[in-house]
Amino acid sequence: MTVLKKILLTGGGSTGHVAVNLALIPKLRNLNWEIGYIGSKNGIEHELINGIKDVKYFAISTGKLRRYISIENLKDPVKVIKGIRQSYKIIREYKPDVIFSKGGFVSVPVVLAAWMNKVPIIIHESDVTPGLANKISMPFASKICLTFKDTERLVPKEKGIFVGPIIRNDIKNGSKERAMEMCGFHDRRAVLLVMGGSLGSNFINQVVRDSVPRLMSKFQIIHICGKDNVESSFNVDGYKQFEYVDSELKHLLALADIVVSRAGSNSIFEFLYLNKPMLLVPLSGKASRGDQILNANSFQQLGYSRVMTEEKCNMGTFIEEVNFLYTNREPIIDKMKQAPKKDTLEDIINIINDFTRSR
């Protein structure tokens, strides 16, 4: 097989900062690209990417872009400088035609090193408002791919390009039967799927477990809790817990009638693509920059979801919202079916190709 071009992907810190790259890899591989990935040594990107066939993983030192006071903030500049040096060397030796960055704190040293090496940089932004890592990286980028149309006003006009959401091909081929086996479900009650993000949510986990006894008359419940958050003593027939689900998530989504989730952009667009009515409980402004709140409100305005803030979420209101969502799911599904759905992955590939050709 003749390798035509080389690309280095980067992004990490959460599944959302890796999912787009995971979707791109099969497409790039089919086009005979040589693919490398720069990530952290111990982040979730290492877990998800390292070991993928035909993808060479490079680990670098990274800091963390915190919005709170911590002694670790004093150490991070040293880690970032080390990461820039490591990335610079990797890029010089690998000689990529282009860098594709999904964001997250690991991407900043890579983008800076790519700019120093005069390699074109394409950034992808999933949320309505750009994340801190992407804000730092934007001045060095050649092009910024946007998921939300509204984000165009927040990025340099000559760099921003609206492409829409990227949906992994794998997520489209789930099997309800496989999910029934995974969960040990046997009856035909409706299925409620709860996801708290790749790291889980203690807040959502507690509200769900408090609500299980009252929800069980109507629902079987799949609860993705996050690493080390499975409550082994909480063993109820029709309630199945998972720490984390990767390739088999498509099966659980195929089985779900409705979904409760945080409001990360990649996840909610996949729910939209699959026509799964959703109750979104976004991260509060105290724990984030408020991006999930904007994502959730955007979907609610379009009629794709219900939204409940953490401040208003307790066992009683949660049960009420879940029941309301299920009862009124059909109008929501109708609106979801009318949403534009295109192959954004192909658009991204074309943008990548344009920059490699111009180079």
Side-chain angles (χ1 to χ4, degrees), residues 2-278:
T2 302
V3 175
L4 301 178
K5 304 160 197 164
K6 290 183 176 182
I7 188 169
L8 277 173
L9 309 175
T10 188
S14 71
T15 300
H17 288 127
V18 186
V20 169
N21 290 331
L22 285 170
L24 277 172
I25 286 170
K27 287 267 189 181
L28 292 167
R29 187 190 287 128
N30 289 340
L31 294 170
N32 296 347
W33 282 74
E34 184 176 328
I35 308 166
Y37 199 108
I38 301 181
S40 65
K41 296 177 182 177
N42 301 309
I44 194 167
E45 65 273 17
H46 183 273
E47 180 181 337
L48 295 175
I49 300 293
N50 192 33
I52 292 180
K53 184 181 178 183
D54 300 326
V55 178
K56 187 171 183 179
Y57 191 89
F58 302 93
I60 63 168
S61 171
T62 66
K64 186 173 182 179
L65 301 173
R66 300 178 183 84
R67 293 177 175 80
Y68 53 88
I69 297 173
S70 169
I71 190 67
E72 293 299 316
N73 291 339
L74 300 176
K75 303 176 184 178
D76 284 341
V78 176
K79 294 178 181 177
V80 172
I81 291 170
K82 183 179 179 181
I84 293 172
R85 288 174 179 164
Q86 291 170 325
S87 299
Y88 185 88
K89 183 180 179 182
I90 291 165
I91 292 167
R92 291 283 286 185
E93 293 177 354
Y94 194 79
K95 294 181 173 56
D97 294 281
V98 65
I99 303 287
F100 185 87
S101 171
K102 185 56 198 78
F105 55 84
V106 72
S107 69
V108 175
V110 183
V111 168
L112 293 174
W115 179 75
M116 294 175 190
N117 277 291
K118 298 182 179 179
V119 178
I121 302 156
I122 299 170
I123 289 175
H124 186 275
E125 177 55 60
S126 293
D127 296 312
V128 175
T129 59
L132 182 54
N134 276 349
K135 282 183 179 178
I136 294 171
S137 299
M138 280 179 189
F140 309 99
S142 306
K143 190 62 70 175
I144 306 164
C145 299
L146 309 173
T147 301
F148 288 89
K149 184 74 173 173
D150 289 348
T151 317
E152 286 182 322
R153 61 187 173 82
L154 302 175
V155 303
K157 186 176 181 180
E158 70 280 5
K159 293 184 178 183
I161 178 169
F162 169 68
V163 295
I166 292 178
I167 307 298
R168 294 173 288 168
N169 283 324
D170 182 59
I171 210 73
K172 306 170 186 177
N173 303 311
S175 163
K176 292 183 178 181
E177 291 73 21
R178 175 73 183 112
M180 293 283 283
E181 293 173 7
M182 289 171 62
C183 298
F185 292 167
H186 304 292
D187 61 48
R188 293 299 171 184
R189 277 175 293 167
V191 174
L192 165 64
L193 172 62
V194 180
M195 298 173 57
S198 57
L199 302 179
S201 164
N202 290 331
F203 177 84
I204 292 178
N205 289 346
Q206 190 57 55
V207 171
V208 169
R209 289 178 180 132
D210 289 344
S211 307
V212 164
R214 289 176 57 185
L215 289 172
M216 293 298 291
S217 61
K218 183 180 291 186
F219 299 100
Q220 298 175 102
I221 301 169
I222 304 169
H223 187 179
I224 303 175
C225 315
K227 187 173 174 59
D228 300 324
N229 287 328
V230 168
E231 182 57 67
S232 57
S233 63
F234 201 95
N235 190 11
V236 181
D237 187 40
Y239 168 73
K240 178 63 177 180
Q241 301 176 77
F242 296 92
E243 275 196 358
Y244 177 75
V245 180
D246 185 15
S247 61
E248 293 191 307
L249 176 60
K250 60 180 177 287
H251 305 311
L252 302 183
L253 281 168
L255 183 61
D257 292 286
I258 59 174
V259 177
V260 172
S261 175
R262 288 299 197 188
S265 173
N266 295 307
S267 294
I268 64 177
F269 274 108
E270 288 184 344
F271 304 153
L272 172 60
Y273 186 91
L274 297 172
N275 302 319
K276 301 295 178 179
M278 58 194 103

